[in-house]
Amino acid sequence: INTRGLIDCHLYRKGMSLIFFVINLTNSASWRQPVDELVPSGPVEINMKIPEDMSAKSVKLLVSGREIIPSVHGNRIGFVIEDILAHEVAVIS
């Protein structure tokens, strides 16, 4: 992952899809509560290895409602999430 800002991410598998959950932790008072302002982060470049029994051809962003055509090379997939305000969920299938 390559990005500007502070992010947290988690990857899950559900059937023949991968669910990539990205949380934007960038704020003016990092590590202090409460967060009083959301600071957009991005672009976020993702490049990962996918399981050998999967074929990934699309990425759907559930929060922004966008669909991305990823670059796929063998068992690796790459895509860019342009901006994240609070969080984003990417479904890779």
Side-chain angles (χ1 to χ4, degrees), residues 11 22 33 37 39 41 47 58 63 72-73 78 82 85 88:
L11 182 65
V22 186
Q33 297 295 327
E37 177 185 5
V39 178
S41 185
N47 185 342
S58 71
V63 175
V72 180
H73 301 286
E82 292 300 327
L85 185 57
E88 185 62 83

Side-chain angles (χ1 to χ4, degrees), residues 5-91:
L6 179 62
I7 64 165
D8 185 25
C9 60
H10 302 272
L11 182 65
Y12 305 95
R13 181 167 182 172
K14 185 173 182 182
M16 294 306 287
S17 297
L18 294 174
I19 313 299
F20 188 69
F21 189 57
V22 186
I23 304 125
N24 182 3
L25 300 174
T26 308
N27 66 75
S28 60
S30 289
W31 309 118
R32 287 175 273 166
Q33 297 295 327
V35 173
D36 58 0
E37 177 185 5
L38 294 174
V39 178
S41 185
V44 179
E45 295 180 33
I46 295 102
N47 185 342
M48 70 175 91
K49 184 178 178 180
I50 57 174
E52 292 184 20
D53 64 336
M54 282 186 64
S55 66
K57 294 183 174 79
S58 71
V59 176
K60 182 166 184 168
L61 303 180
L62 300 183
V63 175
S64 66
R66 289 183 265 168
E67 203 156 323
I68 300 172
I69 298 173
S71 63
V72 180
H73 301 286
N75 64 343
R76 299 201 66 83
I77 187 169
F79 58 95
V80 175
I81 301 173
E82 292 300 327
D83 53 64
I84 299 171
L85 185 57
H87 66 277
E88 185 62 83
V89 179
V91 178

